Amino acid sequence: MPSVKVHASNILNEYGEAQAELIGKAVVLTDGKAGTVENVWLDELHGLRISIKGHDGRWPVSTIKFPEN
């Protein structure tokens, strides 16, 4: 059971790092939508998803084409 806790802890740590890296950053998605990342979710079916300020919906993090440097 300890290894399960370690895996869960690693997932949550990575999720927290992804939030810190993405929230507030300007991005352009592959479909042309652009804006600032408003929130990050961990979706059990799709992995990380983001919302863009001013656009309705949530997109897979893999659709980020150009992140802010």
Side-chain angles (χ1 to χ4, degrees), residues 1-41:
M1 189 58 101
S3 67
V4 171
K5 290 181 181 181
V6 170
H7 290 303
S9 179
N10 289 339
I11 290 168
L12 292 174
N13 286 334
E14 291 294 325
Y15 173 65
E17 287 181 28
Q19 282 184 311
E21 275 185 44
L22 292 170
I23 292 177
K25 300 290 182 176
V27 295
V28 177
L29 303 181
T30 54
D31 65 0
K33 288 180 180 67
T36 304
V37 176
E38 191 170 47
N39 207 343
V40 177
W41 289 270

Side-chain angles (χ1 to χ4, degrees), residues 25-58:
K25 300 290 182 176
V27 295
V28 177
L29 303 181
T30 54
D31 65 0
K33 288 180 180 67
T36 304
V37 176
E38 191 170 47
N39 207 343
V40 177
W41 289 270
L42 184 57
D43 182 313
E44 62 190 28
L45 297 176
H46 303 102
L48 287 179
R49 295 182 77 78
I50 59 171
S51 65
I52 306 296
K53 195 174 287 187
H55 297 283
D56 290 333
R58 296 179 184 178

